[in-house]
Amino acid sequence: MCFAGNTCVPEVFCCKPASVAASEHSMSRYHKDRKVRFSYMRMKYLFISWLVVFIGSWVMYVQYSTYTELCRGHDCRKIICDKYKTGVIDGSACSSLCAKETLYFGKCLSTKPNNQMYLGIWGNLQGVIKCQMEEAARLDFGTDPEPRKEIILFDKPTRGTTVEKFKEMVYSFFKAKLGEQGNLSELVNIILSFADGNKDGRVSLPEAKSAWALLQLDEFLLMVMLQDKEHTPKLMGFCGDLYVIERVEYTSLYGISLPWMIELLIPSGFRRSMDQWFTPSWPRKAKIAIGLLEFVEDIFHGPYGNFLMCDTSARNLGYNDKYDLKMMDMRKIVPEMNLKEMIKDRPCESDMDCVYGTDCRTLCDQSKMRCTTEVIQPNLAKVCQLLKDYLLRGAPSDIHEELEKQLYLCIALKVSANQMEMEHSLILNNLKTLLWKKISHTTDS
């Protein structure tokens, strides 16, 4: 195109090549897709964050609800101290708990609402406080215990009851629970001595009410009977049906405990492997095992009859810093006579209907559709089942084979077998001797 007086310049039309246009279109689509993806990712992260917050809040709520149900130390103390201040009950721990306030509830250790358990600080001493928030669970084979009725809990003995009459009450109670034992009178005297909380040489009515309430608890009764035995925690004091025992450093046979919610998520096989990872050295495990075998001896046809271990789980066993076994929970150790009396003629459809706790099993008589009274496995067989993996893992090679043989012979024990008591004693002594010979020369013994 030419303009007057100017140089002609050719007209040029600027058109973009097709490849450039396609590239720009592609870039535009890329940016749009990127914005869409970014928006999607943001929504995804927002949803995940909201989900995490929701689940976390739910877990905290469940934990709080569980804690408030399991850990009711304030209620427990209030109930006991109200009874003490009105003169209904008394005991060696009452003044420290309710008046001087030198006995404190510490960390909550409860696993069931009806059995409150806490670390306790009593002056310069440490112990474990146990308090019953419901009536002692009777041998009801699966039904929940009824709520504790405050108005009748400390109703015996009644006003006007003499010490001699109270002794007769206790003697009759033991006779019904333990059967005819030659030394029941001696046991009655032990109870009266313990009931005299202030050690003034006489048992007051409030002290007698506390003692009577405590006697309804199998664990307390067994502790009193076995107070001179090494593997029973020492009783430090009581008030009503609250009692304090010595603290044990390690509260499980294995060295690890997890929150209950995590326990539910872990497969049982993996949990067993974890248990084996967190255990003491083998000589120390052997010493703990010897202690458990000695405890079985203590309750097998002892001076007050035979007692049955109806829950032999590892969480019921502990040990101190010297690796001496201590029984942590004896609520499911019951007098054999008492168990037989409660289970006889119980209706059943299968053997599964004839179980108390987790380990006391009898047979269902299909012809009568009633439970028989003879427990299938003795205590020693159940204990050996518990100790099998515990002892065989890491066992010295020179005794591994013999130890395994003795453990399997032990597990095979049956109550109905001929000469069971002789076999029981023989296997128990063989196991103790085998373990003790191996560790007696070590510092761990």
Side-chain angles (χ1 to χ4, degrees), residues 249-300:
E249 285 80 358
Y250 302 95
T251 56
S252 176
L253 196 60
Y254 299 99
I256 184 172
S257 59
L258 299 172
W260 66 271
M261 290 196 68
I262 297 178
E263 291 274 13
L264 293 176
L265 301 175
I266 299 178
S268 58
F270 183 68
R271 181 65 171 114
R272 284 193 295 271
S273 298
M274 284 181 62
D275 285 340
Q276 295 298 336
W277 300 336
F278 296 93
T279 56
S281 63
W282 190 86
R284 290 171 173 170
K285 288 194 293 184
K287 185 179 181 183
I288 294 168
I290 291 172
L292 183 53
L293 294 172
E294 289 174 345
F295 179 78
V296 171
E297 278 186 301
D298 291 338
I299 63 173
F300 180 67

Side-chain angles (χ1 to χ4, degrees), residues 397-412:
S397 56
D398 57 330
I399 68 164
H400 190 283
E401 184 178 348
E402 180 61 22
L403 179 60
E404 185 174 28
K405 174 187 172 183
Q406 292 296 330
L407 285 170
Y408 277 105
L409 285 173
C410 176
I411 293 169

